[in-house]
Amino acid sequence: MAAADAAFPPECDVLVVGGGIAGVSCAEEIRRLAPNARVLLVSASRSLVGVRSVVKVTLTIEELDVVERPLDFLEAQSEGGSGSGWVKARFGAVESIDVKARSAKLA
């Protein structure tokens, strides 16, 4: 999915909206499961919130080590991985998404 703004790579395969734990985890998991995927994450914040480590406390409870990182962290982390894909993060608020046109408009 490509964003309408010229600063966004037009060759994106996946657009993730949100730089919180769910969005960052989603982008990282997509990259892990599909090494050739080109993932663009759009965050309304200039920092990303992710999980550094997970410790299983009980059968149903896990303890997460939550960290805040700069927007370029995902890009640096995805470089040199297996496959030809990438993860890029950009600052902005998504105003609308046109699925048929595979585009997103930023506010």
Side-chain angles (χ1 to χ4, degrees), residues 1-99:
M1 194 175 266
D5 189 323
F8 289 81
E11 66 277 3
C12 296
D13 297 316
V14 180
L15 173 66
V16 176
V17 179
I21 292 174
V24 172
S25 297
C26 180
E28 290 175 331
E29 191 67 4
I30 290 168
R31 177 74 168 109
R32 185 182 72 78
L33 293 172
N36 294 324
R38 297 162 300 184
V39 181
L40 177 64
L41 182 142
V42 179
S43 175
S45 172
R46 294 201 182 271
S47 60
L48 302 173
V49 179
V51 176
R52 183 182 333 189
S53 63
V54 179
V55 176
K56 193 167 188 116
V57 178
T58 68
L59 184 62
T60 58
I61 298 174
E62 295 177 333
E63 184 178 294
L64 307 176
D65 183 13
V66 178
V67 292
E68 195 169 313
R69 297 184 170 125
L71 274 178
D72 60 354
F73 172 78
L74 282 177
E75 216 164 316
Q77 186 180 4
S78 75
E79 290 176 358
S82 64
S84 60
W86 43 257
V87 177
K88 296 183 180 187
R90 298 291 184 261
F91 174 74
V94 176
E95 184 177 287
S96 64
I97 296 174
D98 184 340
V99 177

